[in-house]
Amino acid sequence: VNEVAPRVHNSGHITLDAFNIDQFELHLRALLGLKFPEQVYCSQVFLMQNLSGQTNRKVRFLGALEGRLYWYEKNRNRPLRKMGHINYIGNSLKNLQTFAQKDLKKIIF
């Protein structure tokens, strides 16, 4: 075990776009003792791409992305630091992988 995190975490990022309810709302419902709605998967295929720093310079985006960006607004970019992630949903894993490869070329770390 490298971390014990009594909070929502990366493993639940799929819920942000591929389900009808996300991990953050489920966490709050659990804390408040509220009922959980039925969880419904809303996409045939899901892909998440982590965005890790490669330098110490400011990150730049060169255009609109195909996926949904979750940027963590960290103050410093540095090599190997997770700066955000992009979620992709669709019907074809091959298409989502193509989108992810194209999006990486639009980000300058």
Side-chain angles (χ1 to χ4, degrees), residues 5 8 20 24 30 33 37 45 53 57 60-62 72-74 77 81-82 84 87 93-94 96:
V8 293
N20 64 320
F24 300 99
V45 181
R57 66 180 177 236
R60 294 182 319 154
F61 295 89
L62 302 178
Y72 304 157
E73 301 296 334
K74 293 182 178 177
N77 178 21
R81 184 177 198 191
K82 187 172 175 193
N87 283 351
L93 180 58
K94 185 176 180 177
L96 298 186

Side-chain angles (χ1 to χ4, degrees), residues 21-94:
I21 187 167
D22 65 53
Q23 63 176 339
F24 300 99
E25 183 173 338
L26 289 171
H27 185 77
L28 286 174
R29 286 175 173 274
L31 291 172
L32 298 172
L34 300 174
K35 291 182 179 180
F36 284 24
E38 179 182 354
Q39 296 172 39
V40 178
Y41 193 59
C42 302
S43 176
Q44 289 184 352
V45 181
F46 172 81
L47 177 71
M48 182 179 96
Q49 175 163 259
N50 286 324
L51 301 173
S52 296
Q54 298 171 7
T55 68
N56 290 320
R57 66 180 177 236
K58 185 174 178 164
V59 177
R60 294 182 319 154
F61 295 89
L62 302 178
L65 302 175
E66 296 291 333
R68 185 167 178 194
L69 174 67
Y70 291 89
W71 194 247
Y72 304 157
E73 301 296 334
K74 293 182 178 177
N75 293 328
R76 284 187 51 223
N77 178 21
R78 64 176 184 253
L80 303 178
R81 184 177 198 191
K82 187 172 175 193
M83 302 298 292
H85 72 273
I86 305 172
N87 283 351
Y88 302 88
I89 57 173
N91 299 322
S92 162
L93 180 58
K94 185 176 180 177

